[in-house]
Amino acid sequence: MVDTLGVAVVGFGWMGRVHTQAYARVRHHYPQLAVRPELVTVAEEVPGRAEEAAAQFGFASTTRDWREVAADPRVRAVSITAPNFLHREIGVAMAEAGKHIWIEKPVGLTSEDARAVADAAAKAGVQGAVGFNYRNAPAVEAARELIASGEIGAVTHVRFRLFSDYAAHPEGALTWRYERERGGSGVLGDLASHGADLARFLLGDIESLAADTAVFVPERARPVGATAGHSRAAGGELGPVENEDYVNCLLRFASGARGVLEACRVSVGEQNNYGFEVHGTKGAVFWDFRRMNELGVSRGTSYQDQPVSTVYVGPGDGEFGAFQPGAANAMGYDDLKVIEAHRFLRSVAEGTPHGATLADAVHSAAALDAMIRSAQQGGWVAVAGA
């Protein structure tokens, strides 16, 4: 018997839409899922946006106040896709109200925020999933298995890159994303949080790090009205960009491996250039998000002049089989969020965590906190909890 699970979405910008579409698709790809999500309500403070969402996707009701969602007995699970500075308040409130939560990273502005949400969920006995979607790519899961199997030997050094141009235009509006109080650590929370999670997912705990940060676009124009995504605001009053455009970080893993993590939101000419290179004593593995279903793999006994082969993932890798019948058929970004939705709903149904959890969010946030301390103080710092 399939249980109907009332779900709500809090915050209906682009990511709220992605979560909603994932709920709509999840049982098409996972027909054996023991719960069926039902879109109960959507909360969005921008006038008219919630009503548009309800008309398009079929939410039963709308509200401009997320607190009404916490009090709604019809709602058993909540997607939290509001701005970062609201994550802690909303996440704690939803957990205390007994709602399971699927929350976007970085789960607040600091590791203290992430830990507060995690503690509230643990105390309430609810499940908590986090939007570290890149770890859900079948190729990334295949890479993890390959590394763990020892096929490339002991990992020696790695590089993680997350370059994008979403904030590169000098006329980009000075939204909450660029304020320290509401946007936190800028590109660290936006992109480096994914890098820290991928690093730990593939290679284990980061023990210590040394980071450098920079702001390359120091002023932006204030927007006049409501914004969505990365809007322009030419001609408005200029204000300071308070948080980071760029971070470069050296990593030391508990395993002894060394690494580099670099992220930038103002990289002209780069669109979603996310990926990693993992080198071992016998081989290497490479992944590029823009070619999401491929891995570059070098393995064998040649060492010097050893070739790299392109491997196309297929139904035996990760969750690929839920979407495509054969290797080299394309999957996309939204499919990763469907996988995330499935793992969240399965966690709710079984009472056991599946996929990225709030504990993973705490670890990622601890690495970000360490990056900020290192950039301020200079030199190496330990990562809390490693």
Side-chain angles (χ1 to χ4, degrees), residues 208-246:
S208 59
L209 55 81
D212 183 34
T213 63
V215 177
F216 296 132
V217 183
E219 290 185 320
R220 296 181 182 274
R222 301 184 189 279
V224 176
T227 60
H230 305 287
S231 305
R232 304 272 180 87
E237 178 189 356
L238 292 178
V241 171
E242 299 174 351
N243 55 25
E244 296 82 355
D245 286 331
Y246 171 84

Side-chain angles (χ1 to χ4, degrees), residues 55-81:
Q56 181 175 2
F57 293 103
F59 287 96
S61 60
T62 66
T63 179
R64 292 182 64 181
D65 186 353
W66 61 262
R67 294 168 185 81
E68 293 183 5
V69 176
D72 192 333
R74 301 172 300 167
V75 175
R76 294 169 55 196
V78 181
S79 278
I80 301 172
T81 54

Side-chain angles (χ1 to χ4, degrees), residues 292-303:
M292 193 178 82
N293 304 295
E294 302 176 16
L295 281 177
V297 180
S298 178
R299 52 190 163 189
T301 57
S302 300
Y303 298 98

Side-chain angles (χ1 to χ4, degrees), residues 57-379:
F57 293 103
F59 287 96
S61 60
T62 66
T63 179
R64 292 182 64 181
D65 186 353
W66 61 262
R67 294 168 185 81
E68 293 183 5
V69 176
D72 192 333
R74 301 172 300 167
V75 175
R76 294 169 55 196
V78 181
S79 278
I80 301 172
T81 54
N84 299 351
F85 65 94
L86 294 172
H87 285 188
R88 176 174 181 164
E89 182 182 8
I90 298 175
V92 169
M94 294 301 173
E96 290 177 345
K99 319 293 188 189
H100 304 284
I101 53 178
W102 176 14
I103 185 168
E104 276 304 315
K105 56 84 211 167
V107 190
L109 305 181
T110 65
S111 60
E112 182 183 346
D113 287 349
R115 192 171 287 107
V117 179
D119 289 347
K123 184 176 180 180
V126 299
Q127 296 296 318
V130 180
F132 289 128
N133 41 267
Y134 298 110
R135 64 155 62 188
N136 298 329
V140 172
E141 296 193 296
R144 186 184 193 218
E145 292 184 7
L146 186 149
I147 293 164
S149 73
E151 284 197 60
I152 64 169
V155 173
T156 53
H157 60 100
V158 302
R159 183 166 75 110
F160 295 88
R161 69 184 186 282
L162 298 107
F163 300 145
S164 192
D165 64 356
Y166 64 82
H169 203 292
E171 293 180 359
L174 187 67
T175 64
W176 61 268
R177 291 185 180 277
Y178 303 101
E179 298 175 5
R180 181 72 63 186
E181 185 175 345
R182 298 196 297 166
S185 54
V187 76
L188 277 73
D190 280 355
L191 296 181
S193 59
H194 281 297
D197 180 68
L198 280 173
R200 182 169 169 269
F201 181 69
L202 292 172
L203 304 167
D205 286 340
I206 301 168
E207 199 168 67
S208 59
L209 55 81
D212 183 34
T213 63
V215 177
F216 296 132
V217 183
E219 290 185 320
R220 296 181 182 274
R222 301 184 189 279
V224 176
T227 60
H230 305 287
S231 305
R232 304 272 180 87
E237 178 189 356
L238 292 178
V241 171
E242 299 174 351
N243 55 25
E244 296 82 355
D245 286 331
Y246 171 84
V247 60
N248 183 32
C249 189
L250 299 176
L251 307 171
R252 289 175 179 165
F253 292 86
S255 67
R258 298 297 194 262
V260 175
L261 189 160
E262 192 176 13
C264 186
R265 64 188 180 187
V266 297
S267 297
V268 175
E270 301 281 15
Q271 297 86 38
N272 300 318
N273 182 359
Y274 310 150
F276 55 75
E277 304 151 18
V278 180
H279 295 269
T281 53
K282 297 194 300 182
V285 59
F286 311 90
W287 181 69
D288 186 328
F289 169 66
R290 298 164 300 177
R291 304 178 70 168
M292 193 178 82
N293 304 295
E294 302 176 16
L295 281 177
V297 180
S298 178
R299 52 190 163 189
T301 57
S302 300
Y303 298 98
Q304 186 179 1
D305 298 328
Q306 185 163 286
V308 176
S309 300
T310 298
V311 176
Y312 298 102
V313 295
D317 300 304
E319 300 288 325
F320 188 95
F323 297 85
Q324 299 293 350
N329 282 289
M331 289 176 62
Y333 175 90
D334 285 9
D335 295 329
L336 303 184
K337 302 306 278 191
V338 175
I339 294 171
E340 208 165 276
H342 170 249
R343 289 173 174 171
F344 171 51
L345 296 170
R346 184 181 172 195
S347 299
V348 172
E350 298 177 6
T352 302
H354 295 278
T357 66
L358 289 166
D360 294 313
V362 172
H363 279 281
S364 175
L368 302 187
D369 284 358
M371 291 178 200
I372 294 168
R373 292 199 312 275
S374 174
Q376 291 172 342
Q377 301 169 10

